[in-house]
Amino acid sequence: MGFSQELRRQADEIYQAIFDHPFVKGIASGQLGREQLIHYVKQDYEYLNAYMRIYGIAVSKSRTREEMAMFNEQIDFILNSEIHPHQNFCRVAGVKFEEMQGYPLAPSAHHYIRHMLTVAHEGSLGEIYAVLLPCPWTYLEIGQRLLEEVKPTPEHPFYEWIHFYGQRSGGVTEKFARALDRWAETAHPAERQRMTEHFLQSCQLEYLFWDMAYRLEDWPVAMPMNRLDSAASR
């Protein structure tokens, strides 16, 4: 069993909790509240902006052009392809995607982004692979499960979302897993332990991201900033 598969085995209970989360179940049934969809898109838009910044840090730590090209390819994917599932949610919610941009981060999204940025700045390239991998991996498995269990037709409200993520086999998940396995082969035991911790924490934060959207999580006291102030501060 490769290192990445061992991490996946250790995270199995977290993955199952994600599959069983009511937001994910709501995607399956096509029944989610308008505000839940809006909250998700607002937060995920900012999350993906941070994800691209982490890819940029990873480029600076890459050793080969092949590694640089892989991260550059993923930046392009987020900019030009991963807007489609957001647009699916926005269409169901009856809002414009462009109106969902530039909002403050909720606590769980803020925590997740800071977790990844800290690892990116302080850790090795192998640690970056580990901290990033749960995001595409959990979405791939969610999409695959929903394709198999729901078998959505084009009439399903989230048909596009399910197909977008469920058909990503052979994409970034596999690339990052192989890269992480190669890195782990020569990593010191202490670094392997850090990679394990980063991966499992990201899995937990993936669960919290779904929960944040479902519960419309916000700060306990209203943040004294508006949308434009928030966008300008990042």
Side-chain angles (χ1 to χ4, degrees), residues 23 32-45 86 88-97 99-101 103-104 158 209 212-214 216:
F23 196 108
L32 283 169
R34 177 176 183 271
E35 292 304 317
Q36 293 168 326
L37 295 170
I38 289 173
H39 197 50
Y40 173 91
V41 173
K42 286 178 177 178
Q43 298 301 307
D44 204 46
Y45 179 82
H86 282 175
N88 184 182
F89 277 7
C90 287
R91 185 168 58 256
V92 174
V95 296
K96 294 181 179 179
F97 173 59
E99 296 172 350
M100 301 294 101
Q101 303 169 11
Y103 284 88
F158 305 122
F209 198 97
M212 167 209 66
Y214 189 77
L216 307 181

PDB file of all heavy atoms in Angstrom, residues 23 32-45 86 88-97 99-101 103-104 158 209 212-214 216:
ATOM      1  N   PHE A  23     -25.489  18.255   3.822  1.00  0.00           N
ATOM      2  CA  PHE A  23     -25.303  19.063   2.611  1.00  0.00           C
ATOM      3  C   PHE A  23     -25.036  18.144   1.421  1.00  0.00           C
ATOM      4  O   PHE A  23     -25.617  18.312   0.342  1.00  0.00           O
ATOM      5  CB  PHE A  23     -24.151  20.053   2.784  1.00  0.00           C
ATOM      6  CG  PHE A  23     -24.144  21.158   1.752  1.00  0.00           C
ATOM      7  CD1 PHE A  23     -24.476  22.456   2.098  1.00  0.00           C
ATOM      8  CD2 PHE A  23     -23.810  20.909   0.418  1.00  0.00           C
ATOM      9  CE1 PHE A  23     -24.475  23.484   1.152  1.00  0.00           C
ATOM     10  CE2 PHE A  23     -23.807  21.909  -0.531  1.00  0.00           C
ATOM     11  CZ  PHE A  23     -24.145  23.206  -0.168  1.00  0.00           C
ATOM     12  N   LEU A  32     -31.617  21.441  -1.381  1.00  0.00           N
ATOM     13  CA  LEU A  32     -30.823  22.302  -0.520  1.00  0.00           C
ATOM     14  C   LEU A  32     -31.449  23.694  -0.527  1.00  0.00           C
ATOM     15  O   LEU A  32     -32.007  24.126  -1.533  1.00  0.00           O
ATOM     16  CB  LEU A  32     -29.372  22.384  -1.008  1.00  0.00           C
ATOM     17  CG  LEU A  32     -28.488  21.180  -0.697  1.00  0.00           C
ATOM     18  CD1 LEU A  32     -27.180  21.263  -1.468  1.00  0.00           C
ATOM     19  CD2 LEU A  32     -28.194  21.073   0.812  1.00  0.00           C
ATOM     20  N   GLY A  33     -31.323  24.377   0.612  1.00  0.00           N
ATOM     21  CA  GLY A  33     -31.890  25.709   0.705  1.00  0.00           C
ATOM     22  C   GLY A  33     -31.113  26.715  -0.137  1.00  0.00           C
ATOM     23  O   GLY A  33     -29.902  26.578  -0.347  1.00  0.00           O
ATOM     24  N   ARG A  34     -31.816  27.719  -0.613  1.00  0.00           N
ATOM     25  CA  ARG A  34     -31.192  28.763  -1.426  1.00  0.00           C
ATOM     26  C   ARG A  34     -30.020  29.412  -0.691  1.00  0.00           C
ATOM     27  O   ARG A  34     -28.945  29.603  -1.264  1.00  0.00           O
ATOM     28  CB  ARG A  34     -32.243  29.824  -1.772  1.00  0.00           C
ATOM     29  CG  ARG A  34     -31.716  31.012  -2.572  1.00  0.00           C
ATOM     30  CD  ARG A  34     -32.865  31.941  -2.944  1.00  0.00           C
ATOM     31  NE  ARG A  34     -32.400  33.040  -3.760  1.00  0.00           N
ATOM     32  CZ  ARG A  34     -31.956  34.205  -3.281  1.00  0.00           C
ATOM     33  NH1 ARG A  34     -31.935  34.389  -1.960  1.00  0.00           N
ATOM     34  NH2 ARG A  34     -31.540  35.158  -4.096  1.00  0.00           N
ATOM     35  N   GLU A  35     -30.205  29.739   0.583  1.00  0.00           N
ATOM     36  CA  GLU A  35     -29.149  30.408   1.337  1.00  0.00           C
ATOM     37  C   GLU A  35     -27.962  29.483   1.580  1.00  0.00           C
ATOM     38  O   GLU A  35     -26.821  29.958   1.671  1.00  0.00           O
ATOM     39  CB  GLU A  35     -29.703  30.935   2.669  1.00  0.00           C
ATOM     40  CG  GLU A  35     -30.696  32.061   2.517  1.00  0.00           C
ATOM     41  CD  GLU A  35     -30.115  33.241   1.726  1.00  0.00           C
ATOM     42  OE1 GLU A  35     -28.951  33.592   1.978  1.00  0.00           O
ATOM     43  OE2 GLU A  35     -30.825  33.789   0.872  1.00  0.00           O
ATOM     44  N   GLN A  36     -28.201  28.195   1.691  1.00  0.00           N
ATOM     45  CA  GLN A  36     -27.098  27.251   1.852  1.00  0.00           C
ATOM     46  C   GLN A  36     -26.232  27.210   0.601  1.00  0.00           C
ATOM     47  O   GLN A  36     -24.996  27.205   0.679  1.00  0.00           O
ATOM     48  CB  GLN A  36     -27.643  25.858   2.174  1.00  0.00           C
ATOM     49  CG  GLN A  36     -28.308  25.778   3.541  1.00  0.00           C
ATOM     50  CD  GLN A  36     -29.094  24.499   3.730  1.00  0.00           C
ATOM     51  OE1 GLN A  36     -29.677  23.960   2.783  1.00  0.00           O
ATOM     52  NE2 GLN A  36     -29.134  23.998   4.959  1.00  0.00           N
ATOM     53  N   LEU A  37     -26.859  27.194  -0.554  1.00  0.00           N
ATOM     54  CA  LEU A  37     -26.107  27.209  -1.813  1.00  0.00           C
ATOM     55  C   LEU A  37     -25.317  28.502  -1.960  1.00  0.00           C
ATOM     56  O   LEU A  37     -24.144  28.496  -2.362  1.00  0.00           O
ATOM     57  CB  LEU A  37     -27.065  27.044  -2.991  1.00  0.00           C
ATOM     58  CG  LEU A  37     -27.799  25.701  -3.084  1.00  0.00           C
ATOM     59  CD1 LEU A  37     -28.893  25.764  -4.137  1.00  0.00           C
ATOM     60  CD2 LEU A  37     -26.824  24.574  -3.392  1.00  0.00           C
ATOM     61  N   ILE A  38     -25.945  29.620  -1.625  1.00  0.00           N
ATOM     62  CA  ILE A  38     -25.279  30.919  -1.737  1.00  0.00           C
ATOM     63  C   ILE A  38     -24.087  30.990  -0.794  1.00  0.00           C
ATOM     64  O   ILE A  38     -23.001  31.447  -1.175  1.00  0.00           O
ATOM     65  CB  ILE A  38     -26.286  32.047  -1.456  1.00  0.00           C
ATOM     66  CG1 ILE A  38     -27.282  32.174  -2.616  1.00  0.00           C
ATOM     67  CG2 ILE A  38     -25.576  33.375  -1.204  1.00  0.00           C
ATOM     68  CD1 ILE A  38     -28.416  33.136  -2.352  1.00  0.00           C
ATOM     69  N   HIS A  39     -24.283  30.531   0.437  1.00  0.00           N
ATOM     70  CA  HIS A  39     -23.190  30.591   1.421  1.00  0.00           C
ATOM     71  C   HIS A  39     -22.019  29.730   0.964  1.00  0.00           C
ATOM     72  O   HIS A  39     -20.853  30.143   1.080  1.00  0.00           O
ATOM     73  CB  HIS A  39     -23.699  30.123   2.777  1.00  0.00           C
ATOM     74  CG  HIS A  39     -22.828  30.510   3.933  1.00  0.00           C
ATOM     75  ND1 HIS A  39     -22.376  31.797   4.136  1.00  0.00           N
ATOM     76  CD2 HIS A  39     -22.319  29.777   4.966  1.00  0.00           C
ATOM     77  CE1 HIS A  39     -21.625  31.848   5.228  1.00  0.00           C
ATOM     78  NE2 HIS A  39     -21.571  30.626   5.743  1.00  0.00           N
ATOM     79  N   TYR A  40     -22.325  28.551   0.423  1.00  0.00           N
ATOM     80  CA  TYR A  40     -21.268  27.682  -0.082  1.00  0.00           C
ATOM     81  C   TYR A  40     -20.473  28.375  -1.179  1.00  0.00           C
ATOM     82  O   TYR A  40     -19.231  28.381  -1.154  1.00  0.00           O
ATOM     83  CB  TYR A  40     -21.866  26.373  -0.607  1.00  0.00           C
ATOM     84  CG  TYR A  40     -20.841  25.503  -1.301  1.00  0.00           C
ATOM     85  CD1 TYR A  40     -20.130  24.545  -0.595  1.00  0.00           C
ATOM     86  CD2 TYR A  40     -20.551  25.671  -2.660  1.00  0.00           C
ATOM     87  CE1 TYR A  40     -19.169  23.765  -1.220  1.00  0.00           C
ATOM     88  CE2 TYR A  40     -19.600  24.897  -3.287  1.00  0.00           C
ATOM     89  CZ  TYR A  40     -18.910  23.955  -2.573  1.00  0.00           C
ATOM     90  OH  TYR A  40     -17.941  23.204  -3.197  1.00  0.00           O
ATOM     91  N   VAL A  41     -21.150  28.942  -2.160  1.00  0.00           N
ATOM     92  CA  VAL A  41     -20.443  29.549  -3.297  1.00  0.00           C
ATOM     93  C   VAL A  41     -19.613  30.743  -2.846  1.00  0.00           C
ATOM     94  O   VAL A  41     -18.460  30.897  -3.273  1.00  0.00           O
ATOM     95  CB  VAL A  41     -21.440  29.957  -4.400  1.00  0.00           C
ATOM     96  CG1 VAL A  41     -20.720  30.731  -5.504  1.00  0.00           C
ATOM     97  CG2 VAL A  41     -22.120  28.725  -4.985  1.00  0.00           C
ATOM     98  N   LYS A  42     -20.157  31.580  -1.981  1.00  0.00           N
ATOM     99  CA  LYS A  42     -19.393  32.724  -1.481  1.00  0.00           C
ATOM    100  C   LYS A  42     -18.094  32.267  -0.824  1.00  0.00           C
ATOM    101  O   LYS A  42     -17.025  32.852  -1.049  1.00  0.00           O
ATOM    102  CB  LYS A  42     -20.222  33.512  -0.464  1.00  0.00           C
ATOM    103  CG  LYS A  42     -21.332  34.354  -1.057  1.00  0.00           C
ATOM    104  CD  LYS A  42     -22.106  35.054   0.063  1.00  0.00           C
ATOM    105  CE  LYS A  42     -23.187  35.963  -0.478  1.00  0.00           C
ATOM    106  NZ  LYS A  42     -23.965  36.598   0.619  1.00  0.00           N
ATOM    107  N   GLN A  43     -18.183  31.234   0.004  1.00  0.00           N
ATOM    108  CA  GLN A  43     -17.002  30.760   0.728  1.00  0.00           C
ATOM    109  C   GLN A  43     -16.049  29.997  -0.179  1.00  0.00           C
ATOM    110  O   GLN A  43     -14.829  30.148  -0.071  1.00  0.00           O
ATOM    111  CB  GLN A  43     -17.448  29.875   1.900  1.00  0.00           C
ATOM    112  CG  GLN A  43     -18.286  30.599   2.927  1.00  0.00           C
ATOM    113  CD  GLN A  43     -17.545  31.783   3.529  1.00  0.00           C
ATOM    114  OE1 GLN A  43     -16.426  31.652   4.025  1.00  0.00           O
ATOM    115  NE2 GLN A  43     -18.164  32.957   3.491  1.00  0.00           N
ATOM    116  N   ASP A  44     -16.577  29.189  -1.084  1.00  0.00           N
ATOM    117  CA  ASP A  44     -15.707  28.395  -1.948  1.00  0.00           C
ATOM    118  C   ASP A  44     -14.985  29.268  -2.961  1.00  0.00           C
ATOM    119  O   ASP A  44     -13.861  28.953  -3.365  1.00  0.00           O
ATOM    120  CB  ASP A  44     -16.506  27.302  -2.655  1.00  0.00           C
ATOM    121  CG  ASP A  44     -15.636  26.133  -3.086  1.00  0.00           C
ATOM    122  OD1 ASP A  44     -14.815  25.680  -2.257  1.00  0.00           O
ATOM    123  OD2 ASP A  44     -15.755  25.669  -4.231  1.00  0.00           O
ATOM    124  N   TYR A  45     -15.601  30.359  -3.369  1.00  0.00           N
ATOM    125  CA  TYR A  45     -14.920  31.283  -4.276  1.00  0.00           C
ATOM    126  C   TYR A  45     -13.641  31.799  -3.622  1.00  0.00           C
ATOM    127  O   TYR A  45     -12.568  31.815  -4.238  1.00  0.00           O
ATOM    128  CB  TYR A  45     -15.843  32.445  -4.634  1.00  0.00           C
ATOM    129  CG  TYR A  45     -15.193  33.460  -5.547  1.00  0.00           C
ATOM    130  CD1 TYR A  45     -15.127  33.242  -6.923  1.00  0.00           C
ATOM    131  CD2 TYR A  45     -14.619  34.625  -5.041  1.00  0.00           C
ATOM    132  CE1 TYR A  45     -14.522  34.162  -7.761  1.00  0.00           C
ATOM    133  CE2 TYR A  45     -14.012  35.545  -5.869  1.00  0.00           C
ATOM    134  CZ  TYR A  45     -13.963  35.310  -7.230  1.00  0.00           C
ATOM    135  OH  TYR A  45     -13.348  36.222  -8.048  1.00  0.00           O
ATOM    136  N   HIS A  86     -19.925  25.962  -9.562  1.00  0.00           N
ATOM    137  CA  HIS A  86     -20.451  27.130  -8.855  1.00  0.00           C
ATOM    138  C   HIS A  86     -21.654  27.704  -9.593  1.00  0.00           C
ATOM    139  O   HIS A  86     -22.661  28.081  -8.986  1.00  0.00           O
ATOM    140  CB  HIS A  86     -19.377  28.207  -8.735  1.00  0.00           C
ATOM    141  CG  HIS A  86     -18.372  27.943  -7.667  1.00  0.00           C
ATOM    142  ND1 HIS A  86     -17.267  28.741  -7.464  1.00  0.00           N
ATOM    143  CD2 HIS A  86     -18.290  26.975  -6.715  1.00  0.00           C
ATOM    144  CE1 HIS A  86     -16.550  28.281  -6.461  1.00  0.00           C
ATOM    145  NE2 HIS A  86     -17.153  27.206  -5.986  1.00  0.00           N
ATOM    146  N   ASN A  88     -23.697  26.132 -11.485  1.00  0.00           N
ATOM    147  CA  ASN A  88     -24.825  25.228 -11.282  1.00  0.00           C
ATOM    148  C   ASN A  88     -25.551  25.575  -9.987  1.00  0.00           C
ATOM    149  O   ASN A  88     -26.786  25.732  -9.964  1.00  0.00           O
ATOM    150  CB  ASN A  88     -24.325  23.791 -11.264  1.00  0.00           C
ATOM    151  CG  ASN A  88     -25.427  22.747 -11.156  1.00  0.00           C
ATOM    152  OD1 ASN A  88     -25.151  21.558 -11.096  1.00  0.00           O
ATOM    153  ND2 ASN A  88     -26.685  23.149 -11.121  1.00  0.00           N
ATOM    154  N   PHE A  89     -24.810  25.731  -8.894  1.00  0.00           N
ATOM    155  CA  PHE A  89     -25.420  26.101  -7.614  1.00  0.00           C
ATOM    156  C   PHE A  89     -26.106  27.461  -7.719  1.00  0.00           C
ATOM    157  O   PHE A  89     -27.203  27.661  -7.192  1.00  0.00           O
ATOM    158  CB  PHE A  89     -24.358  26.133  -6.520  1.00  0.00           C
ATOM    159  CG  PHE A  89     -24.038  24.794  -5.904  1.00  0.00           C
ATOM    160  CD1 PHE A  89     -24.558  23.618  -6.416  1.00  0.00           C
ATOM    161  CD2 PHE A  89     -23.207  24.709  -4.802  1.00  0.00           C
ATOM    162  CE1 PHE A  89     -24.261  22.384  -5.844  1.00  0.00           C
ATOM    163  CE2 PHE A  89     -22.906  23.491  -4.219  1.00  0.00           C
ATOM    164  CZ  PHE A  89     -23.436  22.327  -4.731  1.00  0.00           C
ATOM    165  N   CYS A  90     -25.450  28.410  -8.387  1.00  0.00           N
ATOM    166  CA  CYS A  90     -26.013  29.757  -8.505  1.00  0.00           C
ATOM    167  C   CYS A  90     -27.315  29.748  -9.314  1.00  0.00           C
ATOM    168  O   CYS A  90     -28.269  30.449  -8.968  1.00  0.00           O
ATOM    169  CB  CYS A  90     -25.001  30.698  -9.154  1.00  0.00           C
ATOM    170  SG  CYS A  90     -23.627  31.166  -8.076  1.00  0.00           S
ATOM    171  N   ARG A  91     -27.341  28.967 -10.368  1.00  0.00           N
ATOM    172  CA  ARG A  91     -28.546  28.900 -11.191  1.00  0.00           C
ATOM    173  C   ARG A  91     -29.717  28.343 -10.383  1.00  0.00           C
ATOM    174  O   ARG A  91     -30.836  28.864 -10.468  1.00  0.00           O
ATOM    175  CB  ARG A  91     -28.285  28.044 -12.427  1.00  0.00           C
ATOM    176  CG  ARG A  91     -29.445  28.017 -13.410  1.00  0.00           C
ATOM    177  CD  ARG A  91     -29.042  27.403 -14.726  1.00  0.00           C
ATOM    178  NE  ARG A  91     -28.539  26.041 -14.594  1.00  0.00           N
ATOM    179  CZ  ARG A  91     -27.263  25.699 -14.668  1.00  0.00           C
ATOM    180  NH1 ARG A  91     -26.322  26.619 -14.895  1.00  0.00           N
ATOM    181  NH2 ARG A  91     -26.891  24.433 -14.542  1.00  0.00           N
ATOM    182  N   VAL A  92     -29.461  27.298  -9.581  1.00  0.00           N
ATOM    183  CA  VAL A  92     -30.522  26.730  -8.751  1.00  0.00           C
ATOM    184  C   VAL A  92     -30.971  27.743  -7.697  1.00  0.00           C
ATOM    185  O   VAL A  92     -32.166  27.853  -7.385  1.00  0.00           O
ATOM    186  CB  VAL A  92     -30.053  25.422  -8.083  1.00  0.00           C
ATOM    187  CG1 VAL A  92     -31.101  24.916  -7.099  1.00  0.00           C
ATOM    188  CG2 VAL A  92     -29.766  24.358  -9.144  1.00  0.00           C
ATOM    189  N   ALA A  93     -30.010  28.507  -7.155  1.00  0.00           N
ATOM    190  CA  ALA A  93     -30.333  29.506  -6.126  1.00  0.00           C
ATOM    191  C   ALA A  93     -30.938  30.776  -6.705  1.00  0.00           C
ATOM    192  O   ALA A  93     -31.456  31.608  -5.950  1.00  0.00           O
ATOM    193  CB  ALA A  93     -29.077  29.851  -5.327  1.00  0.00           C
ATOM    194  N   GLY A  94     -30.848  30.951  -8.029  1.00  0.00           N
ATOM    195  CA  GLY A  94     -31.418  32.125  -8.657  1.00  0.00           C
ATOM    196  C   GLY A  94     -30.593  33.378  -8.471  1.00  0.00           C
ATOM    197  O   GLY A  94     -31.140  34.487  -8.370  1.00  0.00           O
ATOM    198  N   VAL A  95     -29.260  33.222  -8.426  1.00  0.00           N
ATOM    199  CA  VAL A  95     -28.360  34.367  -8.283  1.00  0.00           C
ATOM    200  C   VAL A  95     -27.287  34.308  -9.359  1.00  0.00           C
ATOM    201  O   VAL A  95     -27.091  33.265  -9.994  1.00  0.00           O
ATOM    202  CB  VAL A  95     -27.693  34.393  -6.888  1.00  0.00           C
ATOM    203  CG1 VAL A  95     -28.729  34.596  -5.799  1.00  0.00           C
ATOM    204  CG2 VAL A  95     -26.905  33.100  -6.640  1.00  0.00           C
ATOM    205  N   LYS A  96     -26.590  35.415  -9.551  1.00  0.00           N
ATOM    206  CA  LYS A  96     -25.502  35.466 -10.519  1.00  0.00           C
ATOM    207  C   LYS A  96     -24.183  35.136  -9.820  1.00  0.00           C
ATOM    208  O   LYS A  96     -23.906  35.630  -8.724  1.00  0.00           O
ATOM    209  CB  LYS A  96     -25.420  36.837 -11.169  1.00  0.00           C
ATOM    210  CG  LYS A  96     -26.611  37.178 -12.040  1.00  0.00           C
ATOM    211  CD  LYS A  96     -26.436  38.551 -12.677  1.00  0.00           C
ATOM    212  CE  LYS A  96     -27.616  38.891 -13.575  1.00  0.00           C
ATOM    213  NZ  LYS A  96     -27.472  40.237 -14.190  1.00  0.00           N
ATOM    214  N   PHE A  97     -23.368  34.323 -10.477  1.00  0.00           N
ATOM    215  CA  PHE A  97     -22.071  33.931  -9.912  1.00  0.00           C
ATOM    216  C   PHE A  97     -21.224  35.156  -9.588  1.00  0.00           C
ATOM    217  O   PHE A  97     -20.548  35.208  -8.556  1.00  0.00           O
ATOM    218  CB  PHE A  97     -21.353  33.022 -10.913  1.00  0.00           C
ATOM    219  CG  PHE A  97     -19.940  32.674 -10.541  1.00  0.00           C
ATOM    220  CD1 PHE A  97     -19.653  32.027  -9.352  1.00  0.00           C
ATOM    221  CD2 PHE A  97     -18.886  32.982 -11.395  1.00  0.00           C
ATOM    222  CE1 PHE A  97     -18.349  31.693  -9.009  1.00  0.00           C
ATOM    223  CE2 PHE A  97     -17.587  32.656 -11.060  1.00  0.00           C
ATOM    224  CZ  PHE A  97     -17.316  32.016  -9.869  1.00  0.00           C
ATOM    225  N   GLU A  99     -22.057  37.918  -8.497  1.00  0.00           N
ATOM    226  CA  GLU A  99     -22.516  38.597  -7.289  1.00  0.00           C
ATOM    227  C   GLU A  99     -22.088  37.870  -6.018  1.00  0.00           C
ATOM    228  O   GLU A  99     -22.279  38.393  -4.911  1.00  0.00           O
ATOM    229  CB  GLU A  99     -24.040  38.725  -7.312  1.00  0.00           C
ATOM    230  CG  GLU A  99     -24.555  39.594  -8.458  1.00  0.00           C
ATOM    231  CD  GLU A  99     -26.068  39.559  -8.572  1.00  0.00           C
ATOM    232  OE1 GLU A  99     -26.699  38.708  -7.880  1.00  0.00           O
ATOM    233  OE2 GLU A  99     -26.622  40.356  -9.338  1.00  0.00           O
ATOM    234  N   MET A 100     -21.492  36.695  -6.154  1.00  0.00           N
ATOM    235  CA  MET A 100     -21.102  35.883  -5.008  1.00  0.00           C
ATOM    236  C   MET A 100     -19.632  36.055  -4.641  1.00  0.00           C
ATOM    237  O   MET A 100     -19.097  35.287  -3.841  1.00  0.00           O
ATOM    238  CB  MET A 100     -21.371  34.395  -5.304  1.00  0.00           C
ATOM    239  CG  MET A 100     -22.824  34.062  -5.623  1.00  0.00           C
ATOM    240  SD  MET A 100     -23.941  34.313  -4.221  1.00  0.00           S
ATOM    241  CE  MET A 100     -24.672  35.897  -4.663  1.00  0.00           C
ATOM    242  N   GLN A 101     -18.973  37.029  -5.202  1.00  0.00           N
ATOM    243  CA  GLN A 101     -17.524  37.171  -5.057  1.00  0.00           C
ATOM    244  C   GLN A 101     -17.156  38.330  -4.138  1.00  0.00           C
ATOM    245  O   GLN A 101     -17.800  39.376  -4.166  1.00  0.00           O
ATOM    246  CB  GLN A 101     -16.905  37.383  -6.442  1.00  0.00           C
ATOM    247  CG  GLN A 101     -17.224  36.264  -7.413  1.00  0.00           C
ATOM    248  CD  GLN A 101     -16.860  36.563  -8.850  1.00  0.00           C
ATOM    249  OE1 GLN A 101     -16.168  37.536  -9.135  1.00  0.00           O
ATOM    250  NE2 GLN A 101     -17.341  35.744  -9.776  1.00  0.00           N
ATOM    251  N   TYR A 103     -16.737  38.204  -0.578  1.00  0.00           N
ATOM    252  CA  TYR A 103     -17.359  38.249   0.748  1.00  0.00           C
ATOM    253  C   TYR A 103     -16.389  37.761   1.827  1.00  0.00           C
ATOM    254  O   TYR A 103     -15.466  36.997   1.543  1.00  0.00           O
ATOM    255  CB  TYR A 103     -18.624  37.389   0.757  1.00  0.00           C
ATOM    256  CG  TYR A 103     -19.783  38.044   0.057  1.00  0.00           C
ATOM    257  CD1 TYR A 103     -19.969  37.891  -1.317  1.00  0.00           C
ATOM    258  CD2 TYR A 103     -20.676  38.850   0.758  1.00  0.00           C
ATOM    259  CE1 TYR A 103     -21.027  38.508  -1.967  1.00  0.00           C
ATOM    260  CE2 TYR A 103     -21.738  39.469   0.116  1.00  0.00           C
ATOM    261  CZ  TYR A 103     -21.902  39.299  -1.250  1.00  0.00           C
ATOM    262  OH  TYR A 103     -22.938  39.917  -1.888  1.00  0.00           O
ATOM    263  N   PRO A 104     -16.593  38.197   3.089  1.00  0.00           N
ATOM    264  CA  PRO A 104     -15.701  37.766   4.173  1.00  0.00           C
ATOM    265  C   PRO A 104     -15.771  36.255   4.387  1.00  0.00           C
ATOM    266  O   PRO A 104     -16.791  35.617   4.121  1.00  0.00           O
ATOM    267  CB  PRO A 104     -16.257  38.505   5.402  1.00  0.00           C
ATOM    268  CG  PRO A 104     -17.048  39.635   4.854  1.00  0.00           C
ATOM    269  CD  PRO A 104     -17.613  39.160   3.549  1.00  0.00           C
ATOM    270  N   PHE A 158     -28.754  19.242  -9.643  1.00  0.00           N
ATOM    271  CA  PHE A 158     -27.301  19.302  -9.527  1.00  0.00           C
ATOM    272  C   PHE A 158     -26.611  18.298 -10.458  1.00  0.00           C
ATOM    273  O   PHE A 158     -25.508  17.819 -10.164  1.00  0.00           O
ATOM    274  CB  PHE A 158     -26.896  19.071  -8.070  1.00  0.00           C
ATOM    275  CG  PHE A 158     -27.566  20.036  -7.124  1.00  0.00           C
ATOM    276  CD1 PHE A 158     -28.353  19.574  -6.079  1.00  0.00           C
ATOM    277  CD2 PHE A 158     -27.441  21.406  -7.305  1.00  0.00           C
ATOM    278  CE1 PHE A 158     -28.984  20.455  -5.222  1.00  0.00           C
ATOM    279  CE2 PHE A 158     -28.080  22.301  -6.453  1.00  0.00           C
ATOM    280  CZ  PHE A 158     -28.854  21.821  -5.411  1.00  0.00           C
ATOM    281  N   PHE A 209     -16.137  22.422   6.263  1.00  0.00           N
ATOM    282  CA  PHE A 209     -16.542  23.340   5.196  1.00  0.00           C
ATOM    283  C   PHE A 209     -17.989  23.037   4.769  1.00  0.00           C
ATOM    284  O   PHE A 209     -18.810  23.948   4.611  1.00  0.00           O
ATOM    285  CB  PHE A 209     -15.597  23.211   4.003  1.00  0.00           C
ATOM    286  CG  PHE A 209     -15.657  24.379   3.055  1.00  0.00           C
ATOM    287  CD1 PHE A 209     -14.726  25.404   3.140  1.00  0.00           C
ATOM    288  CD2 PHE A 209     -16.633  24.453   2.074  1.00  0.00           C
ATOM    289  CE1 PHE A 209     -14.773  26.481   2.264  1.00  0.00           C
ATOM    290  CE2 PHE A 209     -16.695  25.522   1.191  1.00  0.00           C
ATOM    291  CZ  PHE A 209     -15.765  26.550   1.288  1.00  0.00           C
ATOM    292  N   MET A 212     -20.223  24.173   7.580  1.00  0.00           N
ATOM    293  CA  MET A 212     -20.320  25.634   7.581  1.00  0.00           C
ATOM    294  C   MET A 212     -21.387  26.110   6.606  1.00  0.00           C
ATOM    295  O   MET A 212     -22.206  26.978   6.923  1.00  0.00           O
ATOM    296  CB  MET A 212     -18.966  26.230   7.197  1.00  0.00           C
ATOM    297  CG  MET A 212     -18.976  27.706   6.858  1.00  0.00           C
ATOM    298  SD  MET A 212     -17.666  28.112   5.688  1.00  0.00           S
ATOM    299  CE  MET A 212     -18.194  27.226   4.214  1.00  0.00           C
ATOM    300  N   ALA A 213     -21.373  25.530   5.397  1.00  0.00           N
ATOM    301  CA  ALA A 213     -22.346  25.942   4.383  1.00  0.00           C
ATOM    302  C   ALA A 213     -23.757  25.535   4.783  1.00  0.00           C
ATOM    303  O   ALA A 213     -24.712  26.308   4.603  1.00  0.00           O
ATOM    304  CB  ALA A 213     -21.980  25.336   3.031  1.00  0.00           C
ATOM    305  N   TYR A 214     -23.899  24.339   5.327  1.00  0.00           N
ATOM    306  CA  TYR A 214     -25.225  23.842   5.696  1.00  0.00           C
ATOM    307  C   TYR A 214     -25.837  24.670   6.824  1.00  0.00           C
ATOM    308  O   TYR A 214     -27.033  24.983   6.808  1.00  0.00           O
ATOM    309  CB  TYR A 214     -25.119  22.378   6.119  1.00  0.00           C
ATOM    310  CG  TYR A 214     -26.454  21.717   6.319  1.00  0.00           C
ATOM    311  CD1 TYR A 214     -27.224  21.313   5.227  1.00  0.00           C
ATOM    312  CD2 TYR A 214     -26.951  21.491   7.603  1.00  0.00           C
ATOM    313  CE1 TYR A 214     -28.463  20.707   5.400  1.00  0.00           C
ATOM    314  CE2 TYR A 214     -28.182  20.886   7.795  1.00  0.00           C
ATOM    315  CZ  TYR A 214     -28.933  20.496   6.682  1.00  0.00           C
ATOM    316  OH  TYR A 214     -30.159  19.901   6.866  1.00  0.00           O
ATOM    317  N   LEU A 216     -25.012  27.743   7.632  1.00  0.00           N
ATOM    318  CA  LEU A 216     -24.868  29.184   7.367  1.00  0.00           C
ATOM    319  C   LEU A 216     -23.973  29.821   8.429  1.00  0.00           C
ATOM    320  O   LEU A 216     -24.259  30.891   8.963  1.00  0.00           O
ATOM    321  CB  LEU A 216     -26.227  29.880   7.332  1.00  0.00           C
ATOM    322  CG  LEU A 216     -27.281  29.278   6.401  1.00  0.00           C
ATOM    323  CD1 LEU A 216     -28.570  30.098   6.464  1.00  0.00           C
ATOM    324  CD2 LEU A 216     -26.777  29.201   4.968  1.00  0.00           C
TER     325      LEU A 216
END
